[in-house]
Amino acid sequence: DIKNQMISNALERLLLKLLEEHSESKNQKKTIGNSNYKNIIAVMNENLDKKLSIDEIARLCNLSTSNLKKTFKKYSGMGVIEYFNNLKIAEAIKLLGEDVPVTQISEMLGYSSPSYFTDAFKRHCGSSPTNYRKEYRESEYYYEIIK
């Protein structure tokens, strides 16, 4: 059901934000790992328009691949690429709400083609971007958000 999926997606975005804020709120105990984690998140957010591998993210963060994976798993509880893909889908959902065309969203988020983006979106959200946008507009959540 698309409404349950939208609620799930909203909760996932909230959890991602809370994870980010949680790591920032632990400033009393600044560790190298915490600093690296913040840097990894920043690098991912700055590169949503690219298709990055773990090796490329590690290079951009000046970390070894194994250190990147270990640090990220410790602070987020999930894998690097899983998180990066979640960030992309969250951005796609935002852009869908702003009436950005699906083909443009695909390009903006570094997907190799609109069909690959659509497949990735379907796997994550349970419906195509076009159907998601349509169902979202027909839901009561749309009217609550635009108020």
Side-chain angles (χ1 to χ4, degrees):
D1 171 69
I2 193 75
K3 289 180 184 176
N4 287 336
Q5 187 61 43
M6 287 189 306
I7 292 169
S8 174
N9 290 342
L11 288 172
E12 186 173 331
R13 286 192 308 275
L14 175 64
L15 289 172
L16 287 171
K17 184 69 178 163
L18 289 172
L19 276 170
E20 210 172 322
E21 289 173 3
H22 176 70
S23 73
E24 291 172 5
S25 71
K26 292 187 141 190
N27 283 338
Q28 35 324 30
K29 190 176 181 182
K30 288 186 178 178
T31 65
I32 293 173
N34 193 8
S35 177
N36 286 341
Y37 176 70
K38 288 180 190 178
N39 187 41
I40 296 164
I41 298 292
V43 164
M44 283 193 240
N45 279 308
E46 292 165 8
N47 290 283
L48 287 178
D49 61 330
K50 296 176 183 76
K51 181 174 178 17
L52 296 178
S53 67
I54 290 177
D55 291 338
E56 290 166 320
I57 295 169
R59 182 183 53 76
L60 290 169
C61 296
N62 296 315
L63 296 170
S64 69
T65 302
S66 62
N67 194 9
L68 172 88
K69 289 178 182 178
K70 186 174 106 180
T71 299
F72 200 81
K73 186 75 168 179
K74 175 182 175 185
Y75 286 90
S76 75
M78 66 175 63
V80 177
I81 297 301
E82 178 186 4
Y83 188 93
F84 189 50
N85 289 334
N86 287 344
L87 286 176
K88 285 184 176 229
I89 295 298
E91 182 67 14
I93 289 168
K94 184 181 116 203
L95 294 169
L96 285 168
E98 296 172 2
D99 278 335
V100 177
V102 172
T103 54
Q104 190 176 347
I105 294 171
S106 171
E107 290 171 15
M108 292 170 72
L109 296 177
Y111 286 92
S112 57
S113 71
S115 63
Y116 182 72
F117 165 65
T118 297
D119 290 345
F121 193 92
K122 275 184 191 175
R123 277 192 305 278
H124 194 273
C125 297
S127 72
S128 72
T130 305
N131 286 342
Y132 187 93
R133 181 180 354 233
K134 181 179 179 280
E135 292 291 330
Y136 174 73
R137 288 246 165 72
E138 293 172 359
S139 75
E140 66 271 17
Y141 305 109
Y142 175 72
Y143 297 103
E144 289 175 20
I145 291 170
I146 62 170
K147 285 182 184 177

